[in-house]
Amino acid sequence: MQDPSRILECARAALANGRPDVAEQHYLALLDRAPAHGEALAFVGMRMLRRGAAAQALPLLRDAHAAAPGDAAINENLGIALLRCGDHAAAERHLVAALNTEPRLHRARLMLGKLRETTGEQRQAAIEYQRAIANAQRLGIWLSPESTPRALRDEVLHAASYVRRYQRALVDEIVQPLRARHGSVALRRVEDCMAGYLRERTMAPDDPRQRPKTLFFPGLPAQPYLPLSAFPWLDHLRNEADAIREELIALRENGPDAFRPFLNFSHHAQVERHLRNTAGAAPAWDAFFFYRHGHRDDANHARCPRTSAALEACPLNRIRDQAPEICFSVLTPGTHILPHHGDTNSRVVVHLPLVIPPGCALNVGGERREWRESEPIVFDDTFEHEAWNRGNTDRIVLILDAWNPYLTEAERECLAALVPVLGDFERACQLTPRRR
């Protein structure tokens, strides 16, 4: 009789050589001699499950789980087998256990989405389906029918369709009353925008330099820099520039600790993807926030009352949890903000230059401009843009978000209602929530 250790060695060798069918025969032989062998139970159970024999796989996977209850792959396969056998409560326990151990098990996540759908949890089903698809696509699979395993193809296509239908329902629920109030014609561009966002229709900018990361609004003029004449309210901000600068200087002298990094990085490699420093020092892009992701910092407003009053007189685009974003932005000598694209052309970025040493510039869509103190610049950040300070002292501008001036009031109202709801869903689908 062949030694079990030798059989195990042959099974592993077959796997290493890409012969799972041969490996399965060895593992079956091993189970004849060692019925409680966890590795063999897990492998044979997994193979039966993939052949569609969930009921036959179930006892093997249960025994494998008893031998290794914390193994993510065993919990995943056992959860799938239980789901296919109709035991929803037990399937949930094991799928959740697998994902708690390894959150990026996209097949387990897909099955958890199916479970949520089966039990009528529509929102959670859509979230789990979207997480599963995003995780898989980051690994280069589930991008097309060809890159999706045949056994999962129908389920992946169903999941993608389910997510689109769920998002469409969210959009329709918000747009319908606004359509009744303003009329279909007034919201035609919003409807087109949403069709593009939901990938129901191809929507792309005419100018290839323009690449919004999140939301493209069609029918707006494509221009890297916008004319100041489109923003008559900027005259008031320009008139307050000296007072704002005085408060900035006092703040820097008395409260430098109030400034913090504009972007949050967990490790140095992330910094290098966004910032460089040509002067040999560490790059630094710091900010003093008046609004962050749409949330007002009352304490910071109180520290700069003239600036606060000037800002509150501006027609800011207010979107829950997202906009406006307003701050004193400090770029240290030698720091270069590398080329990147913004989220949406429905918003534009306003700079009020306050402290500008020689050697500082902004490049949007390949068009370079130098800041001049107290003279606003407005640009569409969905065009590739970058900024640098090649001077010897800090460059400081006041940054604020504004609506694209070519949106109508009805369109702004609709976007202000839609974007937070879509953003809530987007953030819920992220395993590690991020902010821009």
Side-chain angles (χ1 to χ4, degrees):
M1 182 177 291
Q2 193 173 15
D3 180 62
S5 62
R6 175 58 184 156
I7 299 175
L8 179 60
E9 184 180 324
C10 291
R12 289 174 174 172
L15 272 181
N17 290 324
R19 295 295 307 277
D21 51 340
V22 175
E24 183 176 2
Q25 296 308 310
H26 288 302
Y27 278 122
L28 284 167
L30 180 56
L31 288 175
D32 285 339
R33 292 159 178 76
H37 195 283
E39 183 179 325
L41 288 165
F43 185 82
V44 176
M46 176 271 293
R47 292 280 291 175
M48 287 183 173
L49 180 63
R50 293 194 176 182
R51 284 196 292 268
Q56 289 78 14
L58 195 53
L60 296 173
L61 292 169
R62 279 180 168 145
D63 289 345
H65 177 262
D71 187 285
I74 292 173
N75 271 305
E76 177 185 44
N77 287 321
L78 179 53
I80 294 171
L82 287 161
L83 176 60
R84 290 178 177 167
C85 290
D87 190 341
H88 296 155
E92 179 179 13
R93 286 197 304 274
H94 289 287
L95 290 172
V96 169
L99 291 165
N100 284 342
T101 303
E102 178 42 72
R104 300 187 185 278
L105 286 174
H106 44 275
R107 192 166 63 111
R109 187 76 65 185
L110 182 72
M111 293 300 117
L112 186 58
K114 184 176 183 179
L115 173 61
R116 300 298 187 209
E117 181 185 359
T118 302
T119 55
E121 302 168 79
Q122 293 183 357
R123 179 174 176 78
Q124 202 56 41
I127 288 170
E128 300 298 355
Y129 278 149
Q130 180 59 27
R131 286 176 173 177
I133 293 167
N135 290 346
Q137 290 182 344
R138 274 192 286 269
L139 297 174
I141 58 175
W142 298 9
L143 295 166
S144 64
E146 294 72 30
S147 64
T148 306
R150 185 178 298 275
L152 287 177
R153 196 169 293 168
D154 288 344
E155 289 175 319
V156 171
L157 290 173
H158 171 78
S161 175
Y162 188 96
V163 172
R164 286 195 297 271
R165 292 197 307 273
Y166 178 79
Q167 290 180 299
R168 167 48 70 186
L170 288 179
V171 168
D172 288 345
E173 183 178 0
I174 292 167
V175 172
Q176 186 173 354
L178 293 169
R179 189 189 298 120
R181 183 156 74 249
H182 297 292
S184 297
V185 173
L187 297 184
R188 178 186 54 78
R189 293 195 302 184
V190 175
E191 301 275 16
D192 290 343
C193 173
M194 289 297 103
Y197 176 80
L198 297 175
R199 299 182 183 179
E200 298 168 345
R201 197 182 313 162
T202 301
M203 284 284 168
D206 293 330
D207 191 325
R209 296 176 299 168
Q210 191 178 19
R211 298 178 189 173
K213 292 192 298 185
T214 304
L215 188 71
F216 171 64
F217 197 96
L220 301 178
Q223 46 193 350
Y225 296 96
L226 284 81
L228 298 186
S229 59
F231 305 88
W233 52 269
L234 279 179
D235 288 340
H236 175 69
L237 195 65
R238 182 192 289 110
N239 292 338
E240 291 294 305
D242 289 342
I244 293 171
R245 187 181 298 105
E246 288 175 9
E247 288 188 335
L248 165 67
I249 292 169
L251 181 68
R252 296 266 287 171
E253 291 175 349
N254 302 320
D257 57 316
F259 287 78
R260 56 192 175 96
F262 187 90
L263 301 173
N264 295 317
F265 300 112
S266 58
H267 52 79
H268 185 69
Q270 290 180 315
V271 178
E272 292 184 338
R273 288 198 294 270
H274 295 84
L275 303 175
R276 291 280 192 276
N277 192 293
T278 57
W285 180 14
D286 294 328
F288 176 86
F289 286 99
F290 294 94
Y291 284 86
R292 183 66 162 160
H293 309 306
H295 298 282
R296 189 181 195 271
D297 190 319
D298 293 335
N300 283 358
H301 275 263
R303 296 174 76 167
C304 303
R306 289 287 297 274
T307 303
S308 175
L311 292 173
E312 296 302 335
C314 299
L316 305 173
N317 65 328
R318 299 182 185 274
I319 299 177
R320 175 178 57 79
D321 295 333
Q322 299 205 29
E325 190 102 334
I326 303 178
C327 66
F328 290 137
S329 167
V330 181
L331 213 56
T332 58
T335 295
H336 181 180
I337 302 172
L338 299 177
H340 62 289
H341 294 86
D343 289 325
T344 175
N345 63 327
S346 65
R347 178 208 66 206
V348 295
V349 180
V350 179
H351 282 187
L352 178 65
L354 297 170
V355 179
I356 309 297
C360 296
L362 174 69
N363 182 12
V364 182
E367 299 178 23
R368 180 177 176 275
R369 290 194 183 179
E370 295 183 356
W371 293 282
R372 293 193 301 166
E373 290 186 359
S374 305
E375 290 300 317
I377 290 178
V378 185
F379 63 96
D380 180 343
D381 72 345
T382 62
F383 286 82
E384 185 178 72
H385 59 288
E386 60 184 324
W388 58 82
N389 177 1
R390 295 173 185 159
N392 297 318
T393 57
D394 291 344
R395 180 238 63 177
I396 310 175
V397 301
L398 176 66
I399 296 179
L400 57 151
D401 292 334
W403 285 111
N404 191 305
Y406 303 107
L407 291 169
T408 67
E409 286 299 325
E411 290 169 338
R412 295 178 187 187
E413 180 186 357
C414 201
L415 287 175
L418 279 168
V419 170
V421 173
L422 296 173
D424 289 344
F425 180 74
E426 214 174 83
R427 284 190 294 275
C429 293
Q430 293 166 2
L431 294 178
T432 304
R434 64 178 177 86
R435 294 283 194 178
R436 68 177 173 90

